[in-house]
Amino acid sequence: MASMSPILRIRSAFRSFGANSEQADEVVSAVDEYYLGRQAFEERIARLMAEQRNQFLFGVLIVVLD
């Protein structure tokens, strides 16, 4: 089970709680709409870090030139 994707693990967990297959699939599809994969998450963090770095450098530039 360690190699299963988080979405499949969620489905399996709901099945173990007594949900039928249709209910588990419905929950998984709802979660999947909002779930970011690892690559998408890393890309989002990289963009946020780049924006922060640019804002910091712009602030330093403003202070130095002022």
Side-chain angles (χ1 to χ4, degrees), residues 33-66:
E33 291 178 21
Y34 297 102
Y35 175 75
L36 288 177
R38 182 180 191 135
Q39 183 177 0
F41 175 76
E42 288 175 355
E43 289 171 358
R44 185 174 181 183
I45 293 297
R47 278 195 315 272
L48 289 172
M49 295 296 285
E51 288 176 17
Q52 290 293 318
R53 184 186 64 238
N54 289 342
Q55 289 175 358
F56 175 75
L57 292 175
F58 182 70
V60 168
L61 183 65
I62 293 296
V63 169
V64 169
L65 294 178
D66 211 16

Side-chain angles (χ1 to χ4, degrees), residues 6-56:
I7 296 298
L8 292 177
R9 288 173 39 203
I10 290 171
R11 185 182 189 285
S12 176
F14 271 91
R15 292 283 292 156
S16 70
F17 289 139
N20 64 32
S21 183
E22 183 178 312
Q23 292 169 327
D25 288 342
E26 185 177 339
V27 169
V28 167
S29 70
V31 169
D32 195 33
E33 291 178 21
Y34 297 102
Y35 175 75
L36 288 177
R38 182 180 191 135
Q39 183 177 0
F41 175 76
E42 288 175 355
E43 289 171 358
R44 185 174 181 183
I45 293 297
R47 278 195 315 272
L48 289 172
M49 295 296 285
E51 288 176 17
Q52 290 293 318
R53 184 186 64 238
N54 289 342
Q55 289 175 358
F56 175 75

